[in-house]
Structures are given as structure tokens and as C-alpha cells.
Amino acid sequence: MSHDLPPLNALRAFEATARLNSVSQAAEQLHVTHGAVSRQLKVLEEHLGVSLFVKDGRGLKLTDAGIRLRDASGEAFDRLRSVCADLTQSTADAPFVLGCSGSLLARWFIPRLGRLNADLPDLRLHLSAGEGDLDPRRPGLDALLLFAEPPWPADMQVYELASERIGPVMSPLFSGYQRLQSAPPIALLNEPLLHTTSRPQAWPSWAQQSGLDAKALKLGQGFEHLYYLLEAAVAGLGVAIAPEPLVTEDLKAGRLVAPWDFSETPAQLALWLPKRAADGRARQLAQWLRNELRQADHSPRLNSR
């Protein structure tokens, strides 16, 4: 006799029949035909080499072997149903963990978090900050929000949200503010520009799009992360380069100005998640993010010529 477990469909048919004491009711519950359940019962008896039912008038009666299997299978399936229900509930109750850079989190997401919670009250969002070390393929992270250029990884579901726009910004506290606020972009070639090692191509890309010689740029104080770069700009330490969404609140408050406006890059702000982990919450979040970015794009641009 085989020591392998019988086919699962046969055990399911038996468990339902034994519990309901009816082949017809078991077939109805399992959404199959009466004949399909009968065939599965026969498969199970042949696999085990014992009779599980005997005729009892127009119905069936469990044999001693059938009673033993009914008790064991009933307990096992009850346990499986309970665990599956718990897993389903825990998945529904689990927070949606979104990774993004610290600068994006602090300067764009947090100012809008109250509005997101009000608009999507059922989305239990947990934010995880990192700089280049976040990967939605790893356990503990459901999705990633970042600026990146296509093509996209084949194993990722990517929701494109908005084209990236970057531009130079400075504070009214900057010593060169009065001199530069009405100057053409070429004036920046004489400035020691604030920059970040996390986006070394930001200034050259902007210069090229502005018709300037990128090789003529003079880089001044450097910072490891974009967040620190923008804090330095707000403090009046010089002219920095930044994605438009990350300085929106500073522009509104007058902490920064963007005299040379913003230029579109090949990059996209996008929401990434593994295709194997498709999640309806990601689609919901992506739509909210698109709407939020669209509203910002349609608002009047401040402090730019």
C-alpha cells in the first residue's frame, strides 16, 4: 500500500460527503457534478485499499475505516480553513510598505500624507526611507517609489506617474541672489554650484538642455544625499539642482526660488512592485499619486521666469 497522501481532490470530495452525509450536497458545495464526487470517492477507496462507505437504503453509511478518515480529514480541513482565513485576514490587515528616498519622503510625501490618509482611509501605508538600497524584490517591502529612466526591469510592474523635471533653485538668503535672480542661465557657469553625489548627472543634463557647455560648469560644495543638498540651498549656501516635486513646498513658502524654471529629463517618477506580487493597493496608490502630481503640475509656477 502506498504511503503517499491520496489525491487532494479525492480527500476533499470524501470530507464534504462525510460531513454532509450526502453525495449530492457535497457536489453542490464543491460546485461539481454528482458523478464527479462519486468518481473521486472510488479513487480514494482504490488508493487506500479499503471501503469507506456502504449502502444504507437509499443513502450511504460510513464504514469503520470511513469514520476514522472522516474524523481525521474533518480536523485537517477545519485547520486548513482556519489558517487560510487567518492568512487572508492578515494580508488584508497588513500595512502596504512603500520604500522611497529620504529626500522624496521628507520633501514631497510627508507634506501630502494627511491628504492621502483622508482620500484612502483603508490603505494602511507604511513608509520606509533609504538611499539606493531599497529593492521591492526583498521581503518587507511591497513597492518602491523612485525617479528612474526606462527601460524597466522585466520582473517589475511599473506604474509611470510623471516625467521628471529638474532645475536650479536658490534661496533669497543666498549672497548672490540679487545678482542672479534676473540673470540668464549662462550666468550659472561662473557659480560654484551645490551638487550631490547621488545625482552626478543632474547639472550636466540641465546644462545640455539649456544650451550650455556642461564642461564649463563649476561644482562647489558636494553632499552625499539630495536632502542635504536642498537643506544647504534653503540655508542660502548656493545654487542647487533639484527635481521640481521636491521643492514645491519651498517655492510656495518662498524659501527657494527657481528663476530658470525646470526642464524635463528622460526619467520618470514611477511606482515599482514585483509582477509576482501584484497588489490592488498599488494600483490605488498609483492613481492617487498621478492625481496629486497632475494637480501640482496644473498649479501656477512660483518664482520662475
Side-chain angles (χ1 to χ4, degrees), residues 165-303:
R165 288 167 52 84
I166 63 170
V169 294
M170 62 179 177
S171 167
L173 301 176
F174 176 46
S175 60
Y177 174 73
Q178 294 296 334
R179 173 172 48 85
L180 291 174
Q181 64 172 331
S182 299
I186 196 171
L188 293 182
L189 295 182
N190 298 318
E191 293 295 317
L193 304 170
L194 303 179
H195 62 100
T196 173
T197 55
S198 65
R199 291 290 301 272
Q201 292 303 313
W203 274 117
S205 176
W206 173 83
Q208 185 176 14
Q209 291 175 324
S210 301
L212 303 177
D213 181 5
K215 294 180 180 179
L217 292 169
K218 297 177 182 178
L219 299 183
Q221 178 70 53
F223 297 87
E224 185 178 2
H225 300 308
L226 183 57
Y227 178 81
Y228 305 135
L229 171 72
L230 295 180
E231 287 298 302
V234 170
L237 299 184
V239 182
I241 186 93
E244 185 178 18
L246 271 60
V247 293
T248 299
E249 299 304 314
D250 296 295
L251 295 174
K252 288 180 180 179
R255 292 187 294 268
L256 291 174
V257 296
W260 304 279
D261 209 347
F262 297 87
S263 301
E264 192 168 299
T265 79
Q268 289 274 332
L269 180 61
L271 184 67
W272 295 25
L273 71 157
K275 287 183 177 178
R276 57 175 172 75
D279 193 320
R281 294 175 296 177
R283 290 192 297 272
Q284 188 181 32
L285 177 60
Q287 186 58 52
W288 187 90
L289 292 169
R290 284 196 191 101
N291 290 339
E292 192 69 19
L293 289 160
R294 191 178 299 117
Q295 289 176 17
D297 191 53
H298 290 163
S299 62
R301 301 197 185 282
L302 304 177
N303 303 309

Side-chain angles (χ1 to χ4, degrees), residues 74-121:
E75 182 179 347
F77 275 95
D78 283 344
R79 176 62 178 157
L80 283 171
R81 292 187 189 98
S82 176
V83 170
C84 289
D86 288 345
L87 290 174
T88 301
Q89 187 62 41
S90 65
T91 300
D93 293 342
F96 186 82
V97 183
L98 176 67
C100 63
S101 69
S103 53
L104 185 58
L105 174 61
R107 291 188 160 271
W108 193 85
F109 222 115
I110 288 178
R112 292 161 177 77
L113 194 53
R115 189 153 60 243
L116 185 147
N117 291 334
D119 292 343
L120 302 177

